[in-house]
Amino acid sequence: KTGMWTKALRLIQAMTCSNVEPDTITFNAAISACGKGCEWAHAMQLLSVGMQCKVELDTITFNSTISACEKCWKWEKAFQLMSAMMKALQLVSIVGRSNVELDNFTFNAAISACDK
């Protein structure tokens, strides 16, 4: 399973070349595959691409990215992302709704990163 992240990235590229827009589920699965392959930088890059493409990212998207950082011993990146999520959620609470929330998995992944 650890080598599947390359296939996931190729499939996203193929989707784009075929004029098929990747959605939330596509990004979540690819980010999760990157985490299993200890490819935290690719997971972070996918998160960034999803945001730039205005894909409606959700809690699973962010949790999978934090988990990828945690699995790869990148606790600093996990905490940076969690901190950014918290700041973004504060802004969203002022102006409207979001599909992202902090949940037990978010905090557990960040805490687990401290254990590495």
Side-chain angles (χ1 to χ4, degrees), residues 1-5 29-39 68 71-72:
K1 282 190 173 185
T2 59
M4 299 303 284
W5 66 271
I31 289 169
S32 179
C34 288
K36 290 176 183 166
C38 203
E39 292 291 330
K71 288 175 185 171
C72 303

Side-chain angles (χ1 to χ4, degrees), residues 69-110:
C69 293
E70 173 263 323
K71 288 175 185 171
C72 303
W73 299 60
K74 297 294 181 184
W75 62 268
E76 302 97 341
K77 297 292 182 187
F79 274 100
Q80 287 173 359
L81 182 55
M82 188 171 164
S83 178
M85 278 178 67
M86 293 173 80
K87 288 177 185 174
L89 289 173
Q90 289 172 348
L91 289 174
V92 169
S93 69
I94 295 170
V95 296
R97 296 185 39 88
S98 171
N99 289 334
V100 178
E101 60 185 35
L102 297 173
D103 61 9
N104 283 343
F105 187 87
T106 312
F107 286 96
N108 288 342

Side-chain angles (χ1 to χ4, degrees), residues 1-14 30 33-34:
K1 282 190 173 185
T2 59
M4 299 303 284
W5 66 271
T6 56
K7 290 181 182 180
L9 294 179
R10 278 190 249 137
L11 285 170
I12 288 181
Q13 186 177 31
C34 288

Side-chain angles (χ1 to χ4, degrees), residues 13-92:
Q13 186 177 31
M15 287 176 75
T16 305
C17 291
S18 300
N19 293 324
V20 177
E21 292 292 323
D23 61 8
T24 307
I25 296 169
T26 308
F27 277 95
N28 290 352
I31 289 169
S32 179
C34 288
K36 290 176 183 166
C38 203
E39 292 291 330
W40 66 272
H42 284 102
M44 295 285 283
Q45 183 180 20
L46 283 170
L47 177 67
S48 178
V49 168
M51 293 167 84
Q52 290 171 2
C53 293
K54 302 202 183 338
V55 173
E56 206 169 304
L57 304 177
D58 60 12
T59 303
I60 295 168
T61 315
F62 287 89
N63 286 351
S64 295
T65 309
I66 290 171
S67 182
C69 293
E70 173 263 323
K71 288 175 185 171
C72 303
W73 299 60
K74 297 294 181 184
W75 62 268
E76 302 97 341
K77 297 292 182 187
F79 274 100
Q80 287 173 359
L81 182 55
M82 188 171 164
S83 178
M85 278 178 67
M86 293 173 80
K87 288 177 185 174
L89 289 173
Q90 289 172 348
L91 289 174
V92 169

